[in-house]
Amino acid sequence: MSYDPKETAPEAPAPKGPVGSREAQILYVAEAEDGIRLDRWFRRRWPHLSNIQVQKMARGGQIRVDGARIKPEGRLTAGAAVRVPPIPEPIVRAPGEHMPLTPADIAFAKSMVIYEDDLVIALNKPWGLAVQGGTKTTRHVDRLLSAWGEGMERPRLVHRLDRDTSGVLLLGKGPEAAKRLAGAFARRQAKKTYWAIVMGLPKPTAGQIDLHLKKSGINDYEIMRPAEPKENGAEPAETAYALISHAGQRASWMALRPFTGRTHQLRAHMKAIGHPILGDPKYGDEKSKELSGPLKLQLHARRIELDHPKGGKLIVEAPISPEMRAGFQHFGFDQGEADRDPFEGVRRMR
């Protein structure tokens, strides 16, 4: 696949700051933004807008594309004329949330890089760092992406990791690269391998979990629980697992491969088969909490393999985190025991 960086040059630069506007205006979709969702197009230009605000403007008909209504998730085409209604000024947030990055912030962001080329950045996200912000979260990966610049220079997230899951997190440089990477994840073409330390010794030691999941609870108390396929809100979820090593019957070092991308899928699936991931305060039970002791969540996104935006394969591996290393030391696991790809030849059941 050929790839010309010139093709990603925008017709007009996006506004760099989170400023509002008092009058409606017409803006045109750049060539590099062909296929982008309407809500993401807005958030790229006005980061202070919430998803709810964009949805309200779109559904109320305030936003028009070539004169027609459009849904928030609708895709834009290059050259389309977007009617932008008056944009509210940014609301003053919690101290530090919208402050410019400090030199220390920039140095920290760049220290996470384990691979970078002209189209892709791969980070080794540490334990405890959220990917995106929230009401009480002002330090997160999305904010730190400003270390690479603003507007079209700012890399884009193409997938997610839980706050307490460490490991490989990919970013796209420019909208075209981000669109291709995100598309690979959406089409389940990315091969993701996680390492986890779980309670007990699964039997059989390798297999696949095909179990629907459904969100239950709200906010910080939201969890995924097993559900019947016909249950309202239930989503199909499939995970392959394989034993790498075990510490007697107490704990096992597992390789996990999600074939679907449900929230907390690996954590919920391992709990469902009676082997919760250690250090998990949300999906653990009394026995796993006792075995975990002071250990943090023992889940690490070890490896990602997918098509590179300009051809060929992109394979990235992330060294284990200090939190995961503590688990290895506690149970006596050696990284040299791991096969490069324990799921070679394994395919989805569906």
Side-chain angles (χ1 to χ4, degrees):
M1 178 184 298
S2 62
Y3 184 81
D4 184 0
K6 296 178 181 179
E7 293 178 0
T8 64
E11 293 180 352
K16 292 187 177 181
V19 295
S21 61
R22 296 183 180 181
E23 298 180 355
Q25 55 186 316
I26 301 295
L27 298 180
Y28 294 89
V29 180
E31 285 290 335
E33 297 176 308
D34 185 57
I36 191 173
R37 284 172 52 130
L38 176 77
D39 50 6
R40 292 174 184 167
W41 188 87
F42 265 82
R43 292 293 304 280
R44 182 178 296 172
R45 285 160 172 73
W46 298 280
H48 68 284
L49 288 178
S50 68
N51 286 331
I52 293 176
Q53 285 176 300
V54 177
Q55 290 171 6
K56 185 176 180 180
M57 290 188 293
R59 289 169 181 163
Q62 295 175 276
I63 299 172
R64 302 269 177 159
V65 176
D66 291 333
R69 286 175 175 258
I70 183 173
K71 294 181 178 180
E73 65 274 17
R75 301 282 176 175
L76 300 175
T77 57
V82 182
R83 180 193 183 273
V84 178
I87 301 296
E89 295 290 337
I91 300 171
V92 177
R93 304 292 184 185
E97 185 174 356
H98 290 302
M99 295 291 289
L101 296 184
T102 65
D105 289 331
I106 295 172
F108 173 67
K110 296 297 181 74
S111 74
M112 292 189 287
V113 175
I114 51 177
Y115 174 83
E116 183 172 1
D117 60 28
D118 57 336
L119 298 178
V120 179
I121 299 174
L123 305 180
N124 187 6
K125 188 192 81 65
W127 173 91
L129 179 65
V131 172
Q132 292 185 301
T135 305
K136 300 178 182 179
T137 304
T138 59
R139 190 169 188 261
H140 47 86
V141 174
D142 198 24
R143 177 175 179 266
L144 293 171
L145 299 187
S146 295
W148 282 268
E150 297 293 351
M152 302 300 287
E153 296 298 318
R154 197 173 193 273
R156 286 131 174 104
L157 294 164
V158 297
H159 66 123
R160 307 288 185 268
L161 289 177
D162 293 344
R163 178 196 297 266
D164 292 341
T165 300
S166 58
V168 183
L169 183 70
L170 293 184
L171 314 171
K173 284 185 173 182
E176 180 65 19
K179 182 173 73 173
R180 295 185 188 187
L181 289 169
F185 282 95
R187 294 187 297 272
R188 312 298 180 201
Q189 294 173 342
K191 295 180 181 179
K192 298 179 283 185
T193 302
Y194 289 75
W195 282 355
I197 300 178
V198 307
M199 184 181 73
L201 177 60
K203 293 182 180 179
T205 56
Q208 290 179 246
I209 305 166
D210 185 4
L211 181 65
H212 281 61
L213 296 173
K214 178 181 178 179
K215 288 183 180 180
S216 178
I218 58 173
N219 300 329
D220 292 341
Y221 299 98
E222 186 176 82
I223 65 169
M224 300 294 284
R225 64 170 179 81
E228 294 296 326
K230 294 183 180 180
E231 190 173 341
N232 184 37
E235 296 181 301
E238 188 176 342
T239 301
Y241 68 90
L243 177 72
I244 299 175
S245 185
H246 63 101
Q249 299 291 317
R250 293 193 304 149
S252 299
W253 169 20
M254 308 295 297
L256 307 175
R257 173 160 294 171
F259 290 112
T260 50
R262 309 305 174 207
T263 302
H264 299 171
Q265 176 176 319
L266 302 180
R267 298 160 68 181
H269 269 175
M270 295 312 294
K271 175 182 174 65
I273 66 170
H275 299 280
I277 297 173
L278 296 183
D280 192 338
K282 187 169 277 192
Y283 291 88
D285 54 26
E286 289 303 318
K287 289 184 178 180
S288 68
K289 289 177 183 177
E290 182 179 355
L291 182 61
S292 299
L295 294 177
K296 305 298 184 183
L297 181 67
Q298 298 295 291
L299 181 62
H300 178 72
R302 169 63 175 174
R303 188 174 191 263
I304 286 182
E305 177 182 342
L306 75 170
D307 291 337
H308 192 284
K310 64 177 178 183
K313 286 291 181 183
L314 173 66
I315 301 174
V316 183
E317 290 187 348
I320 61 173
S321 64
E323 292 76 18
M324 194 81 179
R325 190 176 300 114
F328 273 47
Q329 292 172 347
H330 181 75
F331 292 106
F333 297 136
D334 182 347
Q335 292 187 57
E337 299 176 70
D339 293 329
R340 186 164 184 83
D341 185 1
F343 301 110
E344 187 173 359
V346 174
R347 297 289 184 268
R348 289 191 64 178
M349 297 173 67
R350 293 177 180 275

